[in-house]
Amino acid sequence: MTNDLPALLPLAPRFQPRVWGGERLAPPTPDGLPIGEAWIADGDSVVTSGPLAGRPVHELLRDHPRALVGDQLDPDAGFPLLIKLLDCRDWLSVQVHPNDAQAQRMVGPHERGKTEAWHFLHVEPGAALLAGVTPGTTPTALADAIRQGSILDVSERHEPAEGDTLFIPAGTLHALGPGLLLYEVQQASDTTYRVYDWDRPASAGRALHLEESVAVTRADLRGDWTPASETGGVGRLVQCPQFTLQGARGGSEVDLRGSFGLVTVVEGTLTLEAGGVQLDVDAYGTVLVPACAGSVRLRGEGRALIATA
């Protein structure tokens, strides 16, 4: 125990059905809907073991604010990050997210924007995604394409490799394609504006948001790639005002720098050590390491992604 808060808090995933999902994260729902997302860490995540088993993260933030998130974050703003695994068997909608100021103006005064990053765990041959618009596309041409349903004509297509990381700042047009299994870290917001949904039947849950998309999509953003060929999936992969994402292998120690850490094992099995506590974690398991722990050591044969705010 450190400051009355255990140094390692394993979290339970919550599985979300999606029309574009597959079967690599979990079986389909009883009514046959495929699972597209596993929400593996956010304010509603529940601790699975130890003295705080059954407690959600938002309660720990309320009861132990500084021990959990440190002195640099405002605990009254809620837990700042959401981490997911995504299993894409069909195209996700072409979409865009607002930044903080736009979300507060367009959604509500206490809303966050949604800046995110993807790390690709498995890429089937030929799998692709959209990120940004083709060079030379003007803001006027982009707005026309959004309103006229011709956004694919100006969208930029990419083929990621396993271990690549793509940073998607708010305002970047994007869509994930079939054949991708990935890790996503994002601001704790679910505000999404759909530009195009591949002619799927419209419904209240999958409506298009054309004017909102025109208002927030930027023609100059295409995402920022960190290729696996340059990093091997370790070291600092993304750093932005909202979060830092780094990769680490067994045998390393990660300094949390006064914040919390969300450690997700993405290869093999690792033993995490922090605050005198040890915990074995299998692939795709996620552990919240409170700020009061200071650092976390990784032992074993495997690799993890660590997100901090």
Side-chain angles (χ1 to χ4, degrees), residues 27-238:
T29 64
D31 53 359
L33 292 175
I35 300 301
E37 299 179 353
W39 291 26
I40 56 177
D42 70 340
D44 290 328
S45 295
V46 173
V47 178
T48 61
S49 62
L52 297 179
R55 296 282 303 279
V57 170
H58 65 78
E59 287 187 3
L60 305 185
L61 182 60
R62 178 196 65 200
D63 296 343
H64 309 274
R66 297 304 176 192
L68 188 69
V69 300
D71 296 327
Q72 304 171 33
L73 300 174
D74 178 9
D76 293 334
F79 196 73
L81 298 183
L82 167 60
I83 296 180
K84 305 175 182 177
L85 301 175
L86 282 75
D87 179 12
C88 310
R89 285 298 178 188
D90 198 356
W91 278 98
L92 279 70
S93 60
V94 183
Q95 57 190 241
V96 67
H97 309 296
N99 61 29
D100 289 347
Q102 291 166 337
Q104 290 160 14
R105 185 176 68 251
M106 300 169 68
V107 183
H110 303 294
E111 292 294 322
R112 290 187 177 96
K114 187 175 173 182
T115 284
E116 60 191 348
W118 300 329
H119 183 83
F120 296 93
L121 304 174
H122 177 72
V123 178
E124 295 180 2
L129 59 86
L130 306 178
V133 296
T134 53
T137 302
T138 66
T140 298
L142 175 57
D144 289 344
I146 291 172
R147 291 186 173 114
Q148 296 169 7
S150 57
I151 194 64
L152 298 183
D153 295 341
V154 299
S155 299
E156 192 157 74
R157 183 184 178 97
H158 308 265
E159 293 190 3
E162 291 182 8
D164 284 355
T165 306
L166 178 59
F167 173 55
I168 302 285
T172 307
L173 188 81
H174 60 276
L176 290 162
L180 298 173
L181 180 69
L182 62 141
Y183 165 106
E184 176 181 280
V185 55
Q186 59 166 86
Q187 291 178 270
S189 166
D190 209 28
T191 299
T192 296
Y193 297 139
R194 289 188 185 87
V195 178
Y196 176 69
D197 201 23
W198 309 96
D199 297 325
R200 295 185 181 108
S203 68
R206 298 195 64 85
L208 299 183
H209 313 91
L210 301 185
E211 292 308 314
E212 294 92 336
S213 299
V214 169
V216 306
T217 308
R218 289 175 50 180
D220 60 325
L221 296 178
R222 292 172 182 80
D224 185 12
W225 288 90
T226 302
S229 59
E230 297 179 3
T231 67
V234 298
R236 186 167 294 170
L237 304 175
V238 174

